[in-house]
Amino acid sequence: MHKDNLRRAAVAGTFYPSDPGELKELIRSFHKPIAKKIKAKACMLPHAGYIYSGAVAVNTLAGIEIPGICVLIGPNHTGRGEAFSIMQEGFWQTPFGDVRINTVLAQSICRYFKYLVVDEEAHILEHSLEVEVPILQYFSPAVEIVPITIASDDPELLEELGNAIALAIQAENLKDNSLVIASSDMSHYVSAEMAKINDQQAIKEIIGLNPSGLIQKVEELNISMCGYAPVASMLYAAKALGAKKAGLSGYQTSGDVTGDYASVVGYAGVVIS
């Protein structure tokens, strides 16, 4: 880890503004008033640049009572580091200030899942978790995180990781003070029409709390959903924590921003309680 125990922001100034005032104003511009926040066990958020997916991510979290600790699970886009990588201590830097890693829960998850490696390399340049952190801070400035990246599509290990997260949350008596967040975009670089058709199939499985069904649909329809593995693990964790229902909080594509519907990326938010 860095000598100062700090994971420096890698995509501030590109995926989202590096100036805290500008960042706060952008998030506020997306934020629609929510009548009532719910106590969720888990959720799925997109992770593109804020101009593309920020509205979906912000309004998904706006409807949730953000607890003290968020377990963040995302795909490994960089190819660096281990197949299952976690950071156990230190802080993550954002324009809003540094966010503490909850070491107790991070260590507990590792005890329940032997393939999870303490590995900074997978996290240094990875954007899929970083982009969620400032939005979490906007709603809950004192939030703590447990960051996990996945570069594996082994169904048994994805299930084992999800169950391990649930076991650790229960063992540390954090069931009422934690949220499991999977970071994933949906279809990549297909027409808006095709994205909507395929993404609806994947979303149906997610809302049905069916991780094995999600994996099957992604493979069967060749859906280019970058974070389906983290979403599967999140669903296993949510179910083990007693989740009973899920709902789609938002869906859009990059075409809704750029006006180019020939080649888009899909973005969805799901809340699980």
Side-chain angles (χ1 to χ4, degrees), residues 14 16 23 54 58 66 107 112 135 169 194 205 249:
T14 52
Y16 57 88
L23 175 58
V58 168
I66 308 298
Q107 290 177 339
Y112 287 103
I135 304 175
I169 286 171
M194 181 58 70
E205 300 300 330
S249 57

Side-chain angles (χ1 to χ4, degrees), residues 29-71:
S29 73
F30 294 134
H31 185 190
K32 296 175 183 173
I34 304 289
K36 187 181 178 184
K37 294 177 182 282
I38 69 166
K39 200 164 180 59
K41 298 185 185 300
C43 68
M44 179 180 81
L45 303 174
H47 58 233
Y50 281 18
I51 60 165
Y52 301 109
S53 67
V56 173
V58 168
N59 289 304
T60 299
L61 288 175
I64 297 173
E65 291 179 14
I66 308 298
I69 304 168
C70 292
V71 179

